[in-house]
RNA sequence: CGGGGCGUAGCGCAGCCUGGUAGCGCACCUGGUUCGGGACCAGGGAGUCGGAGGUUCAAAUCCUCUCGCCCCGACCA
């Protein structure tokens, strides 16, 4: 059982977030997002306001990924928000995939209506409707077609940071909203091999980022046909396990073959003087990662931010008691803050917040606990006397604090943060390992994903937290996927590259559903 | 788009059945006592009760219409 859960032996602990994960996971998630001040709903249905602390997390994700994209040769650019309807129509599968959830712009002017309001001017109707981009393959393809003439123009390695709109029915902050922020890489290559290598390279970038920065273990793998991106030849994903054991697709990378090159006319003259279609890729991660961060690390007291992603690493909370000591304490605090800021942690300066708001100490502490800042440092008159501070770590109990000398704090803060980062990853990995299982038969798989109802205090019954990741040989029969999705809401998340120990003899596997020879192992799970 | 629910102070709600002109908790403001882990006391500000129409001496409450939102069923980063 994870730290902070209210069930189990011992006295019931008062938690900052109610309900707890064990009591109502979905509601817990919403409460953490609110309590950590990450985001809130807005006047626009399905759209969220990302608040400064939440946006700072996204900025950290952007900053780290951007460096990784640049290091692999990509350049940033920006393409239009609006896509002519005819562009979207160019790739058949693509249309089918997105048509159902598009925002459409039909007019370019408003005039006074009868009731005093504004209405679209019938005389200002667009000749061709514009679609607010749900993704940009087609509009970027049009530019690529202009930019690419010769094999010497390839590869073309472009990324854009942008917002996109998908008119979703059911929305949840960060996890699924009608508008979201993301990054979409688009590349064009002279050969199939090179484009496939690019697809895999970016998948690796994502999994490295997830592991090292987000402290989130992921399974990398290829999607089945049923789960492929509309218009792609192959889709790859990284899949992470959330604390309720459901999978979250945390990043995708697509090998688009020549489908979009043909649709957009991305042609080039080869060295052999033949005309060829380019091979393209696209890959993306979104603000959904912030939701993934919450569901991977947060606990019943709120957000927990991995140090390497933290907008601020430490908050200093001055304990001010009376005017006689206030000046001394603040002098010490500012000195300490300056010293900490001079320390480098993975290429960044340590970020320090000094919270000297006129609030009670406990109230401030709890606020920062809920926000998930890695370290809290209290400095009061007694610490000033002793040249020390009281240090609390977000990965320990909320009341757990220990005195540390100023010198030691400055000297060891990076190793403390590294230890926390490693600890968060280890904990997430242990959780995933505990709930990942090889299954040998369909019955076993169905049992694994069938909840046993649990009687709550007060008599309510609700499904237990159950299931997890199931691995088994799979021959790739699409009708099996449909059946499992309909019956159990379980899907193949991907065909993982790296498999945990155990399982059947890889050289002689049979599909557990059809009995046919199988050369692949599939990862099954319920998902967000 | 089908089934269910809800709109009353910034947030969460009570009041409605049995009409009499608006209340509670949290938050906010002021003063005081407090303060090394979610304080207490006293005082205070804040709501055209989603909107329109009707019944009535009188409507948050009853009736009609309307708008918006949330939950459940077909999708998805």
């Amino acid at each position: 059982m994870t730290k902070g859960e209210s069930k189990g032996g011992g006295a019931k602990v008062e938690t900052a977030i109610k309900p707890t994960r064990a009591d109502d996971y979905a509601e817990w998630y919403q409460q953490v997002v609110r309590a950590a001040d990450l985001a809130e709903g807005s006047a626009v249905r399905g759209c969220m306001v990302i608040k400064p602390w939440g946006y700072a997390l996204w900025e950290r994700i952007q900053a780290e990924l951007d460096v990784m994209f640049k290091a692999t040769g990509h350049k940033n650019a920006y393409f239009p928000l609006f896509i002519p309807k005819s562009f979207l129509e160019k790739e058949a599968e693509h249309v089918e995939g997105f048509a159902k959830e598009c925002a459409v712009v039909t007019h370019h002017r408003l005039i006074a209506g009868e009731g005093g309001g504004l209405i679209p001017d019938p005389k200002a109707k667009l000749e061709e409707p514009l679609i607010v981009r749900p993704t940009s393959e087609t509009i970027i393809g049009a530019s690529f077609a202009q930019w690419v003439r010769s094999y010497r123009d390839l590869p073309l390695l472009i990324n854009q940071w942008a917002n996109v709109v998908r008119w979703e029915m059911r929305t949840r902050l960060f996890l699924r909203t009608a508008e979201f922020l993301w990054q979409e890489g688009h590349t064009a290559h002279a050969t199939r091999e090179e484009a496939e290598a690019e697809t895999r390279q970016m998948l690796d970038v994502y999994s490295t980022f997830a592991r090292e920065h987000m402290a989130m273990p992921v399974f990398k793998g290829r999607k089945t046909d049923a789960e492929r991106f509309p218009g792609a030849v192959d889709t790859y994903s990284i899949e992470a396990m959330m604390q309720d054991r459901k999978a979250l697709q945390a990043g995708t990378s697509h090998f688009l073959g020549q489908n979009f090159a043909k649709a957009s006319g991305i042609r080039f003259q080869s060295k052999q003087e033949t005309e060829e279609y380019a091979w393209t890729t696209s890959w993306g991660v979104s603000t959904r990662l912030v939701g993934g961060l919450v569901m991977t690390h947060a606990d019943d007291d709120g957000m927990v931010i991995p140090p390497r992603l933290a907008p601020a690493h430490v908050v200093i909370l001055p304990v001010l008691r009376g005017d006689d000591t206030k000046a001394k304490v603040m002098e010490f605090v500012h000195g300490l803050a300056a010293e900490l800021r001079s320390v480098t942690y993975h290429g960044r300066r340590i970020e320090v917040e000094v919270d000297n708001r006129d609030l009670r100490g406990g109230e401030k502490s709890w606020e920062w606990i809920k926000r998930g800042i890695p370290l809290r440092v209290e400095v009061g008159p007694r610490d000033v006397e002793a040249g020390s501070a009281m240090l609390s770590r977000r990965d320990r109990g909320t009341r757990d604090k220990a005195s540390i000398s100023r010198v030691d704090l400055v000297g060891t803060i990076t190793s403390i943060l590294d230890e926390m980062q490693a600890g968060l990853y280890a904990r997430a990995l242990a959780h995933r390992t505990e709930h990942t299982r090889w299954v040998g038969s369909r019955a076993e798989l169905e049992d694994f994903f069938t909840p046993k109802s649990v009687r709550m205090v007060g008599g309510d019954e609700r499904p237990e937290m159950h299931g997890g990741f199931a691995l088994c040989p799979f021959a790739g029969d699409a009708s099996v996927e449909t059946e499992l999705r309909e019956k159990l809401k379980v899907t193949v998340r991907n065909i993982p590259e790296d498999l945990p120990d155990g399982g059947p003899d890889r050289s002689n596997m049979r599909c557990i559903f059809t009995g046919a020879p199988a050369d692949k192992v599939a990862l099954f799970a319920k998902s967000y």
Side-chain angles (χ1 to χ4, degrees):
Chain A
M1 180 154 292
T2 328
K3 173 185 90 69
E5 285 184 8
S6 64
K7 288 166 82 174
K12 180 149 183 160
V13 184
E14 178 78 351
T15 58
I17 304 297
K18 283 174 279 240
T20 62
R21 287 164 293 183
D23 288 341
D24 185 344
Y25 192 81
E27 181 60 21
W28 164 84
Y29 173 81
Q30 307 276 55
Q31 294 304 324
V32 171
V33 170
R34 190 158 71 137
D37 213 23
L38 300 178
E40 60 191 26
S42 73
V44 188
R45 193 198 76 100
C47 295
M48 64 177 162
V49 173
I50 305 178
K51 299 187 74 178
W53 190 243
Y55 196 77
L57 275 175
W58 177 239
E59 288 180 308
R60 290 287 310 127
I61 291 170
Q62 284 185 296
E64 297 295 343
L65 280 173
D66 206 59
V67 166
M68 296 173 91
F69 297 158
K70 304 272 171 65
T72 43
H74 302 85
K75 307 282 190 208
N76 285 331
Y78 187 80
F79 297 85
L81 170 67
F82 301 116
I83 299 177
K85 184 166 72 75
S86 58
F87 279 38
L88 219 55
E89 291 162 351
K90 285 178 183 170
E91 214 292 332
E93 267 192 52
H94 196 62
V95 192
E96 221 184 297
F98 288 109
K100 294 186 286 283
E101 49 184 30
C102 286
V104 186
V105 180
T106 54
H107 292 74
H108 64 82
R109 188 190 302 137
L110 295 168
I111 53 169
E114 284 171 27
L118 293 167
I119 58 165
D121 184 350
K123 288 192 290 247
K125 191 165 179 194
L126 297 180
E127 210 150 290
E128 180 181 0
L130 294 170
I131 314 301
V132 180
R133 63 179 164 225
T135 180
S136 304
E137 272 73 9
T138 58
I139 191 88
I140 292 181
S143 286
F144 278 19
Q146 303 285 320
W147 298 352
V148 175
R149 294 272 96 104
S150 142
Y151 70 93
R152 285 187 243 268
D153 297 324
L154 297 173
L156 188 50
L157 307 173
I158 297 294
N159 176 63
Q160 94 164 335
W161 291 97
N163 57 337
V164 286
V165 168
R166 296 181 187 175
W167 214 260
E168 300 288 349
M169 299 300 285
R170 307 255 296 100
T171 60
R172 294 181 72 187
L173 295 178
F174 291 113
L175 298 175
R176 172 159 300 110
T177 47
E179 179 192 14
F180 56 95
L181 305 183
W182 77 349
Q183 142 291 300
E184 48 181 325
H186 294 269
T187 68
H189 307 262
T191 65
R192 176 183 190 115
E193 292 68 33
E194 198 183 301
E196 286 182 325
E198 165 78 5
T199 309
R200 305 303 302 278
Q201 173 184 242
M202 298 323 286
L203 188 70
D204 286 344
V205 164
Y206 290 152
S207 86
T208 301
F209 171 76
R211 185 178 65 245
E212 293 186 359
H213 296 274
M214 299 188 58
M216 177 192 276
V218 295
F219 278 112
K220 270 190 300 191
R222 190 169 50 79
K223 288 285 196 184
T224 61
D225 290 353
E227 303 282 326
R228 235 181 31 223
F229 174 74
V233 172
D234 274 317
T235 288
Y236 297 82
S237 71
I238 54 171
E239 303 280 337
M241 183 188 285
M242 303 293 102
Q243 294 181 72
D244 64 351
R245 307 180 203 170
K246 284 161 82 173
L248 183 81
Q249 182 172 312
T252 53
S253 186
H254 314 293
F255 170 60
L256 303 173
Q258 294 178 306
N259 294 348
F260 284 90
K262 285 176 180 166
S264 301
I266 310 173
R267 285 184 291 261
F268 67 97
Q269 212 165 20
S270 73
K271 199 166 189 173
Q272 293 73 34
E273 302 191 307
T274 55
E275 182 172 75
E276 309 281 349
Y277 282 109
W279 300 83
T280 65
T281 80
S282 69
W283 28 274
V285 300
S286 72
T287 38
R288 168 179 258 200
L289 285 180
V290 177
L293 215 48
V294 173
M295 290 198 292
T296 301
H297 299 301
D299 62 22
D300 293 335
D301 290 315
M303 189 56 179
V304 175
I305 304 175
R308 292 191 62 179
L309 217 50
H313 302 99
V314 51
V315 59
I316 302 179
L317 303 160
V319 178
L320 302 172
R321 310 191 56 184
D323 294 335
D324 47 333
T325 58
K326 184 172 177 176
K328 271 187 193 152
V329 169
M330 287 315 294
E331 187 191 343
F332 185 96
V333 163
H334 286 124
L336 176 60
E339 255 189 283
L340 288 170
R341 287 184 182 118
S342 72
V343 175
T344 301
Y345 177 63
H346 291 279
R348 283 169 75 205
R349 295 303 179 92
I350 294 286
E351 299 271 354
V352 183
E353 292 275 346
V354 174
D355 187 351
N356 58 0
R357 288 175 302 164
D358 183 20
L359 289 175
R360 293 175 53 77
E363 215 173 323
K364 279 199 279 196
S365 286
W366 278 106
E367 197 174 294
W368 287 103
I369 289 168
K370 288 185 282 193
R371 285 172 157 246
I373 199 163
L375 299 174
R376 305 188 303 286
V377 170
E378 276 175 40
V379 174
R382 296 205 294 269
D383 303 302
V384 174
E385 291 288 313
S388 65
M390 297 302 286
L391 176 68
S392 307
R393 296 166 51 150
R394 187 60 183 83
D395 62 344
R396 302 264 169 91
T398 55
R399 281 165 200 281
D400 199 330
K401 66 179 169 185
S403 180
I404 183 169
S405 76
R406 177 170 173 166
V407 176
D408 284 349
L409 177 57
V410 173
T412 62
I413 187 164
T414 59
S415 52
I416 292 170
L417 292 172
D418 273 340
E419 185 189 317
M420 293 175 74
Q421 181 85 21
L424 289 178
Y425 181 82
R427 191 169 73 183
L429 182 61
H431 176 259
R432 188 184 76 174
T433 304
E434 186 184 349
H435 300 292
T436 300
R437 176 185 305 178
W438 286 94
V439 295
S441 70
R442 184 184 187 125
E444 200 182 329
L445 184 135
E446 291 195 7
D447 182 64
F448 185 55
F449 286 115
T450 303
K452 288 77 185 165
S453 73
V454 167
R455 192 171 293 278
M456 305 302 294
V457 187
D460 307 358
E461 270 193 41
R462 83 163 59 91
E464 63 171 354
M465 236 183 239
H466 67 284
F469 285 2
L471 294 163
C472 61
F474 179 55
D477 192 326
S479 67
V480 169
E481 289 187 72
T482 308
E483 231 178 282
L484 291 175
R485 188 175 60 237
E486 285 171 4
K487 188 170 176 187
L488 299 167
K489 295 193 170 163
V490 166
T491 50
V492 175
R493 300 320 305 154
N494 64 26
I495 309 293
E497 268 171 32
D498 304 310
L499 293 168
D501 294 341
D505 175 9
R506 301 289 304 282
S507 62
N508 181 29
M509 299 192 298
R510 296 213 163 255
C511 178
I512 68 162
F513 305 100
T514 62
D519 58 348
K520 303 273 191 298
V521 167
L523 170 64
F524 288 85
K526 295 188 182 181
S527 72
Y528 278 96

